[in-house]
Amino acid sequence: MSLPAASHLDSLETPSAVVDLDVLERNLARGAAYASKHGFVLRPHVKTHKSLFVAGEQLRLGARGLTCATPFEAEVMSSVCNDLLIAYPPAGTVGARRVAAIRPDVQLKVALDSPQVLEVLAAAAETAGRKIGVYVEIDVGMRRVGVTPGGDALALAQRIGKYRNLEFAGVAFYPGHIRGPIAAQDDELADLAALLNATLDAFDRAGLTPPTVSGGSTPTFWRTHELPRITEIRPGSYVYNDRESAGIGACTIDDCALTVLATVVSAAVPGQVVINAGTKALGREPVRGEHSGFGQLLGRPDVTVSRMSEEHGILDLSKTDWRPEIGERVRVVPNHVCIVTHLNDLIYGVRGDKVERSWPVDARGRGFKPIS
Ligand SMILES: Cc1ncc(COP(=O)(O)O)c(C=O)c1O
């Protein structure tokens, strides 16, 4: 049974993921305006929302294409966008074939960091009879994926020319190691700028100037224009934001669009109450910096989720006089919003205390085929 539009927030079951539409709209507009002001191609990462509705809004506001992490995200997003980047190496024949089978009229790009993935992707592209653009992923300090900038990156880019179904489409990097407060990023951004300049100069000298230099994250989003030669940005979390982003100053707590609506279910143990949002609603995501806990209450920053079981979240009341009744509802600003999206099938969009709409988390899960 569906809920009528304009239902009151109180009519929603809990725990549920609730997005403040005014905040979402503001975040989307701010991101689009920044990209346009600095002449960047905006290719938002859909991992944060996994939703056709939000992707549609990003495209409507000027995003040129979308970034995906999983083949399923790309399959789902191919229904609204014909320019997709899969920023994850599709290693192995099964994964590469699935990627190459994305709708043929999609301009597909893949970021990778090894000759092995290049080889398997080329074979899959050949089988599918399509062209795939390749971004060479470089490691700029996160030490997760990415070839060492310099000779290794250039050598990988040069190999792409061996395969007739692949073309060198650019260089990609993810500055995920830069997570300090915005104002304290100067040194790390200067190091990153020097690294990019040296790497891209080497590409230029080899006659292989990358058509695209793709970077960006939410923590560094608003300072991307201080970096050299970037043409494309891939922010993800900026649409919803979270406690982590607010903690480092990439947004304020008022810019956090998504909260978990939960109900107080127990007040039996003194000094705390229990809500029905535990790890299966919030994830067990740590928060960096001086903060602690697994989320904080909207409008009550002194109340945090201090401990969790799967379905229980313990609210620490030691810093507040507030004593909620059993049945009272709260909204938790999660530490890491992308995990919360991934834990939900449906998102409710609210304006004030009215539920205006809902949308599915379309690309949730892997989209694997069952055995018949
Ligand atoms: C490759 C890549 N690009 C872009 C992003 C977006 O980062 P953020 O959510 O910080 O904006 C991520 C996030 O994990 C990523 O892994």
Side-chain angles (χ1 to χ4, degrees):
M1 208 177 65
S2 55
L3 284 172
S7 296
H8 195 275
L9 196 55
D10 289 347
S11 63
L12 295 184
E13 290 193 59
T14 64
S16 54
V18 167
V19 163
D20 185 315
L21 292 167
D22 290 329
V23 180
L24 171 64
E25 287 162 12
R26 198 170 71 219
N27 293 345
L28 287 166
R30 185 172 165 227
Y34 177 83
S36 138
K37 176 172 173 197
H38 296 286
F40 294 129
V41 168
L42 180 59
R43 186 183 289 285
H45 205 311
V46 304
K47 77 197 174 94
T48 303
H49 55 75
K50 293 177 179 266
S51 137
L52 291 172
F53 161 63
V54 180
E57 290 302 288
Q58 291 173 316
L59 293 164
R60 190 177 63 77
L61 289 169
R64 182 90 57 84
L66 298 170
T67 304
C68 305
T70 70
F72 189 43
E73 285 174 359
E75 285 163 3
V76 169
M77 294 302 151
S78 69
S79 70
V80 291
C81 181
N82 63 5
D83 185 344
L84 298 176
L85 164 67
I86 300 184
Y88 198 93
T93 307
V94 178
R97 284 203 174 150
R98 185 169 177 190
V99 162
I102 305 273
R103 240 186 49 212
D105 58 323
V106 169
Q107 284 177 48
L108 189 61
K109 291 168 264 288
V110 170
L112 51 77
D113 67 357
S114 69
Q116 291 86 342
V117 173
L118 204 55
E119 178 90 42
V120 87
L121 186 67
E126 177 94 41
T127 307
R130 76 181 305 157
K131 273 226 174 310
I132 298 179
V134 175
Y135 285 1
V136 170
E137 175 96 36
I138 58 171
D139 172 27
V140 294
M142 190 183 183
R143 306 195 67 72
R144 182 176 71 175
V145 291
V147 274
T148 309
D152 292 356
L154 188 55
L156 187 59
Q158 282 162 335
R159 285 180 87 105
I160 299 169
K162 281 187 14 192
Y163 303 100
R164 66 191 173 114
N165 291 71
L166 302 183
E167 67 194 0
F168 177 51
V171 165
F173 68 92
Y174 177 59
H177 60 298
I178 306 182
R179 296 209 163 261
I182 302 289
Q185 292 174 354
D186 292 11
D187 291 350
E188 285 167 309
L189 290 179
D191 289 349
L192 178 53
L195 193 64
L196 286 175
N197 271 327
T199 305
L200 297 171
D201 286 352
F203 273 74
D204 291 345
R205 283 196 299 276
L208 214 59
T209 298
T212 294
V213 178
S214 176
S217 65
T218 295
T220 60
F221 194 178
W222 313 107
R223 296 188 66 177
T224 313
H225 61 282
E226 297 174 35
L227 294 167
R229 298 193 51 175
I230 295 183
T231 62
E232 173 177 287
I233 48 177
R234 307 184 312 267
S237 311
Y238 81 104
V239 282
Y240 290 155
N241 285 315
D242 52 27
R243 195 165 171 237
E244 165 99 359
S245 300
I248 62 173
C251 68
T252 68
I253 206 82
D254 295 336
D255 298 323
C256 294
L258 189 149
T259 50
V260 174
L261 179 70
T263 303
V264 175
V265 296
S266 169
V269 177
Q272 65 175 47
V273 291
V274 181
I275 56 172
N276 59 350
T279 54
K280 287 183 173 169
L282 293 167
R284 189 179 286 285
E285 293 289 292
V287 67
R288 271 166 266 247
E290 79 238 32
H291 297 299
S292 61
F294 301 101
Q296 72 182 55
L297 293 200
L298 188 70
R300 293 190 187 278
D302 45 357
V303 181
T304 57
V305 180
S306 58
R307 288 183 294 129
M308 289 183 297
S309 310
E310 289 176 42
E311 302 289 356
H312 302 74
I314 315 301
L315 297 187
D316 174 11
L317 301 182
S318 62
K319 299 194 183 84
T320 177
D321 295 334
W322 174 66
R323 291 291 174 269
E325 298 287 324
I326 291 178
E328 195 166 330
R329 284 159 170 249
V330 295
R331 286 167 75 178
V332 183
V333 182
N335 286 353
H336 184 182
V337 73
C338 309
I339 300 297
V340 174
T341 305
H342 154 89
L343 293 170
N344 284 277
D345 299 316
L346 192 72
I347 307 288
Y348 291 105
V350 303
R351 232 178 269 281
D353 53 16
K354 291 278 173 291
V355 186
E356 198 172 289
R357 59 177 302 150
S358 62
W359 60 90
V361 183
D362 306 275
R364 180 182 184 205
R366 305 278 171 199
F368 290 161
K369 292 187 184 64
I371 301 292
S372 54

